[in-house]
Amino acid sequence: MNADEFGIRPGEEMANLPADFDAGLHFIGRLRTPWRTRSGCPKNGLQTEALCTVEIDAPYVPGLRTITGCTHLILLYWMDRATRGLVVQQPRHADGPRGTFSLRSPARPNPIALSVVDLLGREGDVLRVRGLDCIDGTPLLDIKPYYASTDSRPNAQVGRAGAER
């Protein structure tokens, strides 16, 4: 972990993470993007038109059957270079600290991220997508179809940071 890029800012708080894990995961592939550093990544996948690829490991390639029937996918991935354990963060753009679970930051106890991507095509074990926002080589956890009928919440809102109800 690069302390300059992923370090703790004033006002931030870390949780004492347990020594043992509650679950095990298998990475199913890697995400290939043009970005080599966190600072080089877009803030979200809608801020870029970059073509990215999803490389699926051989044992999981059969799981891609009929995937080209989807126009959009949800990719779940592991931000393996992110700070772990932050429960309060001080975003650069905010006027005060925010709870981690009210943010989309990669710094969190379990650095799981998601993106809704446009599926542009498949070539064997590789998917071509648009809409990623992660560092090149990020491990892939899962792929799910995006259903506009159930996944979209047009009335969803996020209140101003720091404001408690």
Side-chain angles (χ1 to χ4, degrees):
M1 176 174 57
N2 180 338
D4 294 334
E5 191 168 17
F6 299 107
I8 307 296
R9 296 185 187 113
E12 295 184 329
E13 297 176 31
M14 294 285 289
N16 290 322
L17 297 178
D20 296 321
F21 295 102
D22 295 322
L25 299 169
H26 296 284
F27 298 147
I28 64 168
R30 296 278 168 176
L31 303 175
R32 298 296 172 192
T33 72
W35 307 291
R36 305 290 182 252
T37 64
R38 179 181 177 187
S39 61
C41 292
K43 292 284 183 208
N44 65 65
L46 292 177
Q47 294 182 338
T48 179
E49 290 292 318
L51 177 66
C52 300
T53 57
V54 179
E55 298 175 350
I56 304 300
D57 293 341
Y60 307 105
V61 172
L64 296 177
R65 186 177 296 165
T66 67
I67 200 161
T68 55
C70 302
T71 61
H72 295 78
L73 301 170
I74 297 170
L75 301 182
L76 298 168
Y77 42 102
W78 189 260
M79 302 296 243
D80 60 325
R81 289 162 265 187
T83 299
R84 302 273 312 258
L86 275 181
V87 292
V88 175
Q89 299 184 40
Q90 175 58 59
R92 286 186 178 93
H93 65 279
D95 56 1
R98 299 182 186 182
T100 290
F101 304 128
S102 70
L103 299 169
R104 298 288 293 267
S105 163
R108 46 202 329 107
N110 292 308
I112 298 170
L114 71 88
S115 286
V116 174
V117 298
D118 299 322
L119 177 58
L120 305 174
R122 175 186 173 192
E123 296 166 13
D125 62 352
V126 175
L127 303 176
R128 288 179 290 110
V129 301
R130 183 171 290 124
L132 276 172
D133 60 356
C134 62
I135 297 172
D136 184 57
T138 295
L140 179 64
L141 294 172
D142 204 357
I143 302 171
K144 297 178 183 286
Y146 174 87
Y147 289 95
S149 60
T150 57
D151 295 328
S152 176
R153 302 289 195 270
N155 297 325
Q157 297 179 9
V158 177
R160 181 164 157 44
E164 290 290 334
R165 293 181 191 248

